[in-house]
Amino acid sequence: MCGIVGCILDKKVAPTIIESIKKLEYRGYDSVGIATVTDTINVKKGSGKIKEVDDEIKLTDIDGNIGIAHVRWATHGNPTKENAHPHCDCDNKISVVHNGIIENFKELRQELIQEGHIFKSETDTEVIPHLIEKFMKEGNDLLKSTQLAIKKLIGSYALAVISTEEPDKIIGARNESPLIVGVSDNGNFLASDVPAILNETRKVIYLEDKEIIQLEKDKVTIMDINLNPLEKEIKTIDWNPEMAEKDGYDHFMLKEIFEEPQVIKDTLFESEKIKEIVSKFKNFNRIYFVACGTSYHASLVGEYLIETQLGIPTEVILASEFEYFQKTLDDHTLVIFITQSGETADTIKALKVAKPVSETLAIVNVVGSSITREAHHVIYTRAGPEIGVAATKTYLSQLICIYLLVAHLGENEELIEKLHSIHELSLESFDREEEIKKIAKRYKSAKDFFYIGRGFNYPTALEGALKLKEITYIHAEGYPAGELKHGPLALIEEGIPVVGILPPGASYAKTFNNLQEIRARGANMILLGAENDTQIDDVEDKLLFNSTIDEIIAPLLYIIDLQLLSYHISVEKSIDPDKPKNLAKSVTVV
Ligand code: F6R
């Protein structure tokens, strides 16, 4: 994961670059560092979140108009100051920030040590400045030396390099880790993701694997791996800087939950495009969804919808497990990849397996991300930038796209009409926020939680439980309602909180009975159900939804309350929900 930024201005660069890297903190917050080039390489770095490190060592207190910065999600080496990027060569003349993993770093490190290079960290990255040093000492310039260095690397990288030998430029390169170029009249930028540059420019060039960039104050040169110049299109992003700000909310996560009604509206605008894509599909006799984490849960809702509404056999496979299914692919299979970031390494890898054999469709939030350039068809979720590490509004936007896809595949006008009623209904979640806060206070000290749902709302239970685990560190399990009696019921004891998801519909009666079985074992039930449901009158903790919300559309609405519940428990426990420990938003390692 990790995030990198490189920036050239005609004024002191540090304040701009630190503001930029803050926008990438969702990618990692184990450590932060900045390097600028003057007549020396100036480095400031430390372990911890940007604010903590900045309070201690004043990251912006560093001269130079050209600089690079990094936030780290540790892979090789503990999250210490020594392992924090940027990393330098032996003579402190070259400095590098890197996102990705160099798989052959051990061999390279050994060779370089034998040649006399001295390493100061345990990271895989540090081989890069030493390799560049070696090639520069052989008489090559910075660009050529970087090219020669990356030709030796096996693995993934997005990197930015500066050197005192050529203090007017930044060299960048990418392979299997995201990197974009931002261009403006005031300077030029390199970054892992668009939010980092939104305050400075909306003009973006997306880079492909094995491309190399030379960034100068008034010039950007993009080359292939052999340094042949390439013509690249400059795209204008329709996101604005405010979208990447907290806007008065205490946390990005809360802001992003409150944005959900608008996201529903915006994503519904994709209906015509989805219809057009569907019209190009041939007849499939099987559908696979491939995704990770929250996107996997959105896919599960898709499975229930497709199988019940269209009768097409559908399977959801975790991206990291997909390679074991590759022999079952054929040209009558549609493989749908769901990913917010479009950069998840497991999902990219799976797409590369599926694409030569089957038709592929990607449902992605980040425009121009790697997956959008690989898949045969792309649907964009219109959620805008999501900064909170826990996915919220993007989950909802993925669901809207999936529902639209199913509606168009089945020419189901009734479902499309229903989707247009979701926006109004979603606003009602915020009327329940005070009740949700009370429940959060009551259960903030729980050690375990169960989330129970059936059919379309089994994935809602899984996603509710995942949100709770991620941002409150409470152990939580999502289960299909009928499955508890086959084992997990043994864990139900007096006072354990169980979230029951009980919308009206065909599965209501069975789910109700299962929840009664759990209550009978002493669990404290937190019920999400219809406001006209008199059978749940005696449940103390209830979140009551509009009775028109049936079990088919409930996944789009009940989840908002569950996101709010996790958020408020997190806040009650004084955890920062935007930056849960050990996690990062964009998972670019397999
Ligand atoms: C959970 C969360 C993760 C992601 C997963 C896949 O809140 O955000 O589980 O859903 O890492 O990421 P994308 O969707 O970017 O492929």
Side-chain angles (χ1 to χ4, degrees):
M1 277 79 71
C2 305
I4 70 166
V5 174
C7 173
I8 303 188
L9 300 177
D10 52 12
K11 59 176 185 187
K12 179 174 162 174
V13 79
T16 305
I17 218 168
I18 293 301
E19 279 314 303
S20 287
I21 202 74
K22 277 183 189 164
K23 301 289 183 322
L24 298 184
E25 210 176 7
Y26 69 84
R27 302 179 69 87
Y29 28 85
D30 287 333
S31 64
V32 55
I34 174 172
T36 60
V37 55
T38 49
D39 47 351
T40 58
I41 294 284
N42 317 292
V43 178
K44 284 196 170 216
K45 59 185 183 177
S47 71
K49 293 181 182 157
I50 298 177
K51 173 141 190 6
E52 295 156 12
V53 178
D54 192 34
D55 285 349
E56 205 187 318
I57 60 167
K58 296 278 166 283
L59 289 162
T60 50
D61 215 354
I62 182 170
D63 284 336
N65 295 359
I66 295 187
I68 55 179
H70 185 271
V71 280
R72 178 163 187 248
W73 185 80
T75 56
H76 293 73
N78 295 336
T80 58
K81 180 179 174 190
E82 290 66 39
N83 289 333
H85 298 216
H87 292 288
C88 295
D89 65 318
C90 297
D91 302 331
N92 275 333
K93 287 185 171 170
I94 299 157
S95 189
V96 173
V97 289
H98 163 227
N99 167 34
I101 292 183
I102 307 305
E103 289 162 19
N104 59 336
F105 86 99
K106 282 201 179 123
E107 301 88 290
L108 292 171
R109 187 179 165 113
Q110 211 41 49
E111 278 172 30
L112 288 160
I113 288 173
Q114 272 163 12
E115 289 170 19
H117 290 261
I118 308 217
F119 281 75
K120 301 182 196 88
S121 78
E122 303 158 286
T123 62
D124 53 336
T125 301
E126 204 185 343
V127 297
I128 304 172
H130 288 284
L131 280 171
I132 297 173
E133 174 189 5
K134 170 183 150 118
F135 292 120
M136 284 188 90
K137 283 188 173 158
E138 287 172 10
N140 299 293
D141 64 11
L142 184 61
L143 175 63
K144 181 75 189 165
S145 302
T146 307
Q147 179 220 23
L148 292 171
I150 60 178
K151 280 192 165 175
K152 292 209 138 240
L153 305 178
I154 300 174
S156 56
Y157 52 80
L159 48 96
V161 187
I162 51 172
S163 168
T164 52
E165 301 294 293
E166 293 176 46
D168 59 340
K169 59 179 67 105
I170 300 176
I171 306 296
R174 79 154 269 176
N175 187 45
E176 294 178 9
S177 289
L179 192 61
I180 55 154
V181 174
V183 286
S184 85
D185 294 338
N186 305 322
N188 292 318
F189 305 83
L190 273 177
S192 301
D193 196 2
V194 170
I197 58 160
L198 277 182
N199 272 335
E200 306 301 324
T201 180
R202 283 158 61 188
K203 298 215 173 325
V204 171
I205 304 171
Y206 292 100
L207 300 173
E208 305 289 336
D209 284 349
K210 300 262 161 54
E211 287 182 350
I212 300 179
I213 312 99
Q214 178 161 288
L215 215 64
E216 293 160 278
K217 165 71 186 45
D218 300 310
K219 197 169 160 206
V220 173
T221 317
I222 300 179
M223 293 151 277
D224 66 16
I225 190 75
N226 297 316
L227 303 184
N228 301 308
L230 299 169
E231 284 294 318
K232 302 281 290 193
E233 189 189 349
I234 300 180
K235 296 201 168 148
T236 304
I237 300 287
D238 63 0
W239 291 359
N240 61 49
E242 293 71 41
M243 287 167 119
E245 300 295 340
K246 269 193 231 161
D247 227 3
Y249 287 91
D250 287 342
H251 298 99
F252 280 111
M253 182 177 178
L254 189 62
K255 176 188 172 226
E256 287 158 4
I257 296 172
F258 271 79
E259 283 170 353
E260 288 181 321
Q262 187 59 40
V263 166
I264 293 170
K265 268 190 174 174
D266 293 345
T267 307
L268 282 171
F269 274 118
E270 292 305 292
S271 186
E272 281 310 304
K273 279 193 203 146
I274 294 174
K275 191 173 176 183
E276 200 187 308
I277 289 175
V278 164
S279 71
K280 292 184 198 149
F281 283 163
K282 47 186 172 197
N283 276 337
F284 301 111
N285 52 25
R286 186 178 36 180
I287 295 178
Y288 279 134
F289 279 94
V290 181
C292 310
T294 290
S295 302
Y296 172 78
H297 296 152
S299 305
L300 285 174
V301 177
E303 178 183 11
Y304 279 96
L305 269 179
I306 292 174
E307 295 211 332
T308 58
Q309 310 299 304
L310 305 173
I312 304 173
T314 303
E315 202 170 330
V316 186
I317 301 172
L318 286 165
S320 53
E321 296 285 315
F322 187 69
E323 61 187 294
Y324 310 108
F325 293 79
Q326 59 179 298
K327 285 197 177 151
T328 64
L329 291 170
D330 59 30
D331 62 355
H332 292 293
T333 302
L334 171 67
V335 191
I336 305 177
F337 295 83
I338 312 259
T339 167
Q340 182 283 129
S341 62
E343 299 293 349
T344 301
D346 287 321
T347 313
I348 294 175
K349 207 169 150 216
L351 174 54
K352 286 186 174 154
V353 167
K355 193 179 168 186
V357 192
S358 300
E359 194 140 1
T360 58
L361 163 69
I363 301 183
V364 186
N365 192 44
V366 178
V367 177
S369 54
S370 300
I371 284 196
T372 62
R373 283 173 280 138
E374 288 277 343
H376 292 111
H377 311 278
V378 177
I379 296 173
Y380 282 110
T381 55
R382 294 292 172 188
E386 188 176 66
I387 311 291
V389 164
T392 51
K393 62 175 179 169
T394 54
Y395 176 69
L396 205 57
S397 64
Q398 291 170 342
L399 289 182
I400 295 282
C401 286
I402 292 170
Y403 276 70
L404 284 172
L405 184 71
V406 175
H408 286 303
L409 277 167
E411 295 174 6
N412 185 341
E413 286 304 322
E414 200 189 324
L415 183 55
I416 293 181
E417 219 165 276
K418 258 191 193 173
L419 291 176
H420 283 279
S421 68
I422 298 293
H423 169 260
E424 282 300 308
L425 294 167
S426 68
L427 295 168
E428 294 175 11
S429 284
F430 305 107
D431 299 337
R432 291 185 286 269
E433 199 183 2
E434 285 312 308
E435 189 56 40
I436 293 170
K437 280 187 192 168
K438 277 189 218 150
I439 299 173
K441 262 195 178 43
R442 198 166 310 151
Y443 294 108
K444 66 177 179 193
S445 306
K447 295 268 170 290
D448 302 283
F449 254 84
F450 281 89
Y451 286 70
I452 308 299
R454 187 184 270 269
F456 302 98
N457 291 287
Y458 162 48
T460 311
L462 291 174
E463 177 58 10
L466 178 63
K467 283 294 89 91
L468 193 78
K469 282 187 263 208
E470 278 181 294
I471 61 165
T472 72
Y473 315 148
I474 297 173
H475 166 246
E477 304 251 14
Y479 265 102
E483 185 61 16
L484 257 82
K485 55 187 176 295
H486 299 290
L489 206 55
L491 294 170
I492 300 296
E493 55 189 36
E494 201 62 39
I496 193 167
V498 175
V499 177
I501 301 163
L502 188 63
S507 65
Y508 175 90
K510 286 193 223 98
T511 312
F512 179 81
N513 289 339
N514 298 141
L515 294 176
Q516 287 298 94
E517 289 153 19
I518 297 167
R519 283 182 82 192
R521 268 90 188 163
N524 280 357
M525 193 60 70
I526 301 159
L527 253 184
L528 279 68
E531 59 195 0
N532 67 353
D533 184 350
T534 51
Q535 290 213 86
I536 56 174
D537 279 350
D538 62 334
V539 177
E540 193 186 340
D541 295 316
K542 300 189 277 282
L543 296 169
L544 296 178
F545 291 71
N546 192 302
S547 314
T548 60
I549 304 170
D550 63 21
E551 61 181 10
I552 300 182
I553 59 163
L556 295 159
L557 294 155
Y558 280 38
I559 192 61
I560 303 175
D561 290 51
L562 296 181
Q563 292 166 345
L564 282 170
L565 178 63
S566 298
Y567 171 79
H568 285 296
I569 295 180
S570 179
V571 171
E572 281 294 328
K573 295 183 76 169
S574 303
I575 292 168
D576 179 353
D578 286 342
K579 301 188 189 86
K581 68 171 160 37
N582 304 337
L583 300 180
K585 188 146 193 79
S586 190
V587 186
T588 53
V589 292
V590 287

